[in-house]
Structures are given as C-alpha cells and as structure tokens.
Amino acid sequence: LGLLPWVAEAWNVLRFALLAAVLLTALSVLYRMALDRPHPLRQMLPGVLTSLTAWMVLSVGFSYYVEHLADYTRLYGSVTAVVVTLLWLYMSAMVLILGAELNAVLRRKR
C-alpha cells in the first residue's frame, strides 16, 4: 500500500491487539448465550481469557508448524488445504470447549 515503514510496523503490532479485542467480545457473547441463565461477565472471564489466549497461541503455533515443519502436500496432494483447515477447526473447537469447561468447574466450586 505504500505505507511508511513505521506505520506498517505499528500495524503488525496493533493487528493482534485488535484481533484480541474482537475475539474477547465474540467469546464473551458466545459463552453468555450458551448458558441456561445469564451470569455476570466477571464469572465468565476466566474461561474467556483462557480460550482467547489458547486460541491465539494455537493459531500462531499451528501456522508456524504448517509453513515450516509439516509437508502435507506429499501426503494429501491437492486436498491439503482442506485437511489443514479441518485440523485447525478441530483444535479451535477443543480450545472453545476448554474455556467453557473451565467456567463450569469454577461455577461449581462457587
């Protein structure tokens, strides 16, 4: 886009903060709507923050793994993109369930 170098560098840092804010809002709404009755945000915050952190770490780690370590093209050929996407979706779902389970365990302890 022809941006100044400092603007491009600032965007590289701020895009993760923006992503975290959007995901924090989305996970909060998701976990609130999934409950049988409304709970305060501070009770859902541990699961939301755990899911958010784990999801971002998982995505960065899986991206690095697929780009540098894995050779799915040799194994799956032309359907590599589908296989990699399904793996990422599966792991993302596990992270979302992990946050919800953490909230359920903490709610039972209270």
Side-chain angles (χ1 to χ4, degrees), residues 32-106:
R32 185 169 176 89
M33 290 177 62
L35 296 173
D36 56 345
R37 56 189 161 86
H39 292 279
L41 179 62
R42 64 179 163 75
Q43 287 183 359
M44 294 185 303
L45 205 54
V48 169
L49 291 176
T50 301
S51 282
L52 174 67
T53 305
W55 200 2
M56 292 183 81
V57 168
L58 169 88
S59 294
V60 169
F62 190 66
S63 171
Y64 180 82
Y65 170 74
V66 168
E67 287 178 20
H68 296 96
L69 302 174
D71 188 16
Y72 287 107
T73 0
R74 181 176 291 166
L75 186 61
Y76 295 109
S78 61
V79 294
T80 299
V82 174
V83 171
V84 168
T85 302
L86 287 174
L87 280 171
W88 180 78
L89 286 172
Y90 176 76
M91 291 187 289
S92 295
M94 292 298 112
V95 165
L96 291 176
I97 292 171
L98 171 82
E101 285 294 324
L102 177 65
N103 281 340
V105 167
L106 292 176

Side-chain angles (χ1 to χ4, degrees), residues 11 13-30 41 45 48-49 51-53 55-56:
W11 173 248
V13 173
L14 291 176
R15 68 183 175 147
F16 289 109
L18 180 64
L19 175 67
V22 169
L23 285 176
L24 181 73
T25 304
L27 287 174
S28 298
V29 169
L30 176 70
L41 179 62
L45 205 54
V48 169
L49 291 176
S51 282
L52 174 67
T53 305
W55 200 2
M56 292 183 81

